[in-house]
């Protein structure tokens, strides 16, 4: 495979566009570079969303196969990464996944509002002040994994893209084909839901 | 609703905006309103701090690494597809 020249001024996006052009012009071997760049984040995303290694692998494979097949239709209206994640999600949705997915339901803001505002706790819970490296244990990792998987899918996708994969609200909206304000609404509820999971874990210890 | 008001309603109004506040997506006036409110409302302050911590924890999770066997599988797929 060809090594790209080091051109510091070129952004990741420009670089990807150049690769896409070259691949579409016949240098199909360069697709390897795109795959190597995005297989790991895509796998992580798939694993967070599906919960099983096998399903995540299938998602990655399907996404790249589809991307390769439709690469000449990529219009550069978004970054290549956004386009790829969108393909991955669509491929995932089309396939009726065998994974036990959480029931579809709306998370209402009311569910998270403390009912009795007079019942003020004694102070900040201890976990909220403890340094992060002391909190991040394997056990907590498992709690979060299960918590994310128990989120209804429309909230789960937003939460994983936004808070785990680090996409912006705008990009998340484009990937999922929903408005930015819709992203924000779902994200807030998903976060509140996850906070409940962490509270349960830390406070019932 | 006054900014200092500690009615349930005013807390809920702010509660809805906490994520945007944390993400720095609110206008200055709303930010100031929240800052001032949490200074004197323990409940909302708690809410804000535990929510912040939740987000920080989730953002700090380690990536799940692809199994080596899968990496090889992908390479083989690429050889078939576009070598
Ligand atoms: Zn309050």
């Amino acid at each position: 495979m060809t090594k790209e020249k080091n051109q510091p001024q070129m952004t990741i996006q420009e670089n990807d566009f150049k690769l896409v052009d070259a691949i579409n012009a016949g240098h199909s071997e360069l697709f390897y570079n795109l795959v190597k760049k995005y297989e790991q984040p895509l796998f992580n995303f798939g694993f967070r969303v599906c919960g099983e290694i096998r399903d995540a692998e299938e998602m990655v494979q399907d996404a790249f196969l589809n991307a390769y097949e439709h690469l000449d239709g990529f219009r550069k209206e978004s970054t290549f990464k956004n386009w790829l994640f969108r393909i991955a999600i669509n491929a995932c949705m089309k396939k009726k996944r065998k994974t036990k997915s959480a029931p579809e339901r709306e998370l209402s803001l009311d569910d998270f509002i403390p009912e009795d505002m007079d019942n003020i706790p004694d102070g900040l819970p201890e976990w909220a002040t403890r340094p992060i490296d002391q909190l991040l244990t394997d056990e907590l990792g498992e709690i979060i994994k299960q918590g994310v998987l128990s989120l209804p899918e429309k909230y789960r996708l937003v939460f994983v893209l936004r808070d785990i994969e680090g996409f912006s609200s705008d990009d998340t909206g484009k990937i999922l084909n929903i408005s930015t304000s819709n992203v924000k609404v779902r994200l807030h509820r998903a976060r509140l839901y996850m906070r409940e999971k962490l509270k349960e874990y830390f406070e019932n210890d | 609703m006054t900014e200092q008001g500690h009615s349930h309603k005013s807390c809920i109004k702010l509660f809805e905006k906490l994520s945007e506040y944390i993400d720095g997506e609110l206008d200055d006036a709303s930010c100031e309103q929240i800052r001032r409110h949490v200074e004197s409302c323990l409940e909302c302050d708690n809410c804000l701090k535990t929510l912040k911590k939740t987000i920080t924890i989730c953002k700090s999770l380690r990536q799940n690494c692809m199994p080596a066997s899968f990496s090889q599988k992908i390479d083989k797929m690429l050889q078939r597809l576009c070598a």
Side-chain angles (χ1 to χ4, degrees), chain A residues 28-32 35-36 39-41 43-44 47-48 53 56-58 60-61 64-65 68 109 112-117 119-125 127-132 135-136 138 140-141 144 159 162-165 169 184 187-188 191-192 194-195 198-199 202-203, chain B residues 6-26 37 40-83:
Chain A
S28 59
E29 77 282 359
L30 289 175
F31 190 61
Y32 180 91
V35 171
K36 288 297 137 184
E39 60 180 5
Q40 179 55 56
F43 175 82
N44 189 59
F47 186 67
R48 289 284 174 202
I53 288 178
E57 291 181 350
E58 208 174 301
V60 173
Q61 214 169 332
F64 283 126
L65 281 172
Y68 187 72
L109 213 52
F112 303 111
I113 294 170
E115 270 171 39
D116 184 4
M117 292 300 254
N119 186 15
I120 291 172
D122 297 336
L124 203 56
W127 64 276
T129 57
R130 221 189 306 166
I132 195 92
L135 289 169
L136 270 182
D138 288 347
L140 181 64
I144 294 172
F159 183 77
R162 190 69 179 62
D163 277 352
I164 297 186
E165 292 304 322
S169 293
K184 290 180 184 179
L187 178 66
H188 187 45
R191 283 171 169 179
L192 290 166
M194 290 304 293
R195 185 184 66 140
L198 293 190
K199 263 168 76 175
F202 285 119
E203 290 165 27
Chain B
H6 278 174
S7 69
H8 192 63
K9 250 189 185 163
S10 67
C11 289
I12 289 171
K13 256 267 166 325
L14 295 188
F15 182 75
E16 288 172 359
K17 295 185 193 164
L18 286 184
S19 272
E20 285 174 273
Y21 176 73
I22 292 169
D23 293 334
E25 290 170 342
L26 282 184
H37 180 86
S40 50
C41 178
L42 194 57
E43 183 74 21
C44 287
D45 189 51
N46 253 335
C47 239
L48 177 63
K49 284 179 176 150
T50 49
L51 191 61
K52 246 188 187 163
K53 199 68 175 190
T54 301
I55 298 164
T56 311
I57 289 173
C58 291
K59 285 191 172 172
S60 315
L61 292 174
R62 257 178 290 119
Q63 278 228 332
N64 295 289
C65 282
M66 270 173 48
S69 61
F70 181 57
S71 200
Q72 288 159 10
K73 199 174 165 191
I74 289 277
D75 287 352
K76 273 195 195 127
M77 178 188 91
L78 288 170
Q79 275 166 20
R80 274 200 318 273
L81 199 65
C82 53

